[in-house]
Amino acid sequence: MAINDYIIAPSILSADFAKLGEEVVNVIAAGADWVHFDVMDNHYVPNLTIGPLVCAAIRPCTTVPIDVHLMVKPVDRIVPDFARAGADIITFHPEASEHVDRSLALIRDNGCQAGLVFNPATPLNYMDYVLDKLDVILLMSVNPGFGGQQFIPATLAKARQARAKLDAYEQESGRRIRLEIDGGVNAANIADIARAGVDAFVAGSAIFGAGKDGDPHRYDSIVAALRAELSAVGA
Ligand code: DX5
Ligand code: ZN
């Protein structure tokens, strides 16, 4: 895969929320591709974060895609609000929706790209009958709810299985579905994750944590370090 095809998606969960707009501007200026936006409801996951108002507030800060990761139950009611707030991609956990096919269609009907999120123990076959409605598969490499957790190694084998399914689908349909990973991604493991077939990488603490000891608003070196690791993969 060409290096330019890899997506780096900083999770603003680990950003400085008192300066969120500035953080978004700086991390995109540092070369990141998407903004990953973690929505937690203290019901589906044991944490509470940000909603459509905050999405609308950061929308003018950047033109790159905002990748909304819904960790909420129910799913459908909040989808149009995020579409109106400027989301480009909306992903949700299949266990949180009573009707997965309908939720995917709803996201697309609202003009966004749609994706399913797989928890570490969630089987991949949730995707089997809805591939035509998917733009993204997001594999959790930690249990959802918090930033700063350790990458779960079993996710690598799962990524290879997901890649095989998505490649088979691309062969028959001509349509490429992105394979994204979320949780514990850093410069030490991103190359192995890419070799397992992942092409979009969420990183929260690895990116925003990197600013804490030095200049807090410069993320160039960590984004460059992640890209350098990825550039070695295709070679
Ligand atoms: C966890 C969130 C992640 C989180 C990743 O539920 O979905 O996006 O911010 O953070 P790190 O990269 O620190 O594991
Ligand atoms: Zn996330």
Side-chain angles (χ1 to χ4, degrees), residues 14 24 27 29 36 43 53 69 74 83 107 127 130 137-138 148 159 165 196 214 228 234:
S14 294
V24 167
V27 85
H36 185 79
H43 171 65
L53 271 177
H69 173 191
I107 292 169
M127 75 172 82
V130 290
I137 292 290
L138 176 52
K165 278 175 179 275

Side-chain angles (χ1 to χ4, degrees), residues 25-45:
V25 167
N26 286 331
V27 85
I28 298 306
D33 302 293
W34 294 352
V35 172
H36 185 79
F37 192 101
D38 286 307
V39 185
M40 304 185 189
D41 67 349
N42 190 36
H43 171 65
Y44 179 64
V45 290

Side-chain angles (χ1 to χ4, degrees), residues 1 108 113-116 127 130-138 162-163 165-167 169-170 173-180 197 199:
M1 169 177 297
R108 284 183 152 198
Q113 293 193 12
L116 285 181
M127 75 172 82
V130 290
L131 284 162
D132 60 323
K133 295 191 176 73
L134 287 171
D135 301 291
V136 182
I137 292 290
L138 176 52
R163 169 49 60 202
K165 278 175 179 275
L166 298 186
D167 283 352
Y169 175 69
E170 187 176 355
S173 68
R175 214 172 62 83
R176 184 168 179 81
I177 298 173
R178 273 211 177 271
L179 183 58
E180 183 179 18
D199 55 33

Side-chain angles (χ1 to χ4, degrees), residues 11 13-14 36 38 40 69 71 140 142-149 182-185 202-205:
S11 163
L13 188 61
S14 294
H36 185 79
D38 286 307
M40 304 185 189
H69 173 191
M71 288 161 273
M140 293 306 300
V142 298
N143 286 292
F146 303 93
Q149 302 180 77
D182 186 2
V185 176
V202 176
S205 51

Side-chain angles (χ1 to χ4, degrees), residues 41-124:
D41 67 349
N42 190 36
H43 171 65
Y44 179 64
V45 290
N47 200 356
L48 185 64
T49 59
I50 44 181
L53 271 177
V54 177
C55 186
I58 64 161
R59 181 66 283 182
C61 299
T62 183
T63 56
V64 306
I66 298 179
D67 173 32
V68 173
H69 173 191
L70 294 180
M71 288 161 273
V72 304
K73 186 175 182 174
V75 172
D76 294 4
R77 208 214 59 73
I78 204 79
V79 163
D81 294 6
F82 272 105
R84 270 194 298 275
D88 297 277
I89 303 157
I90 300 179
T91 63
F92 65 94
H93 292 247
E95 299 93 333
S97 170
E98 302 292 340
H99 305 282
V100 169
D101 181 279
R102 179 183 287 156
S103 298
L104 290 169
L106 176 68
I107 292 169
R108 284 183 152 198
D109 287 349
N110 276 269
C112 297
Q113 293 193 12
L116 285 181
V117 192
F118 293 79
N119 283 332
T122 302
L124 290 174

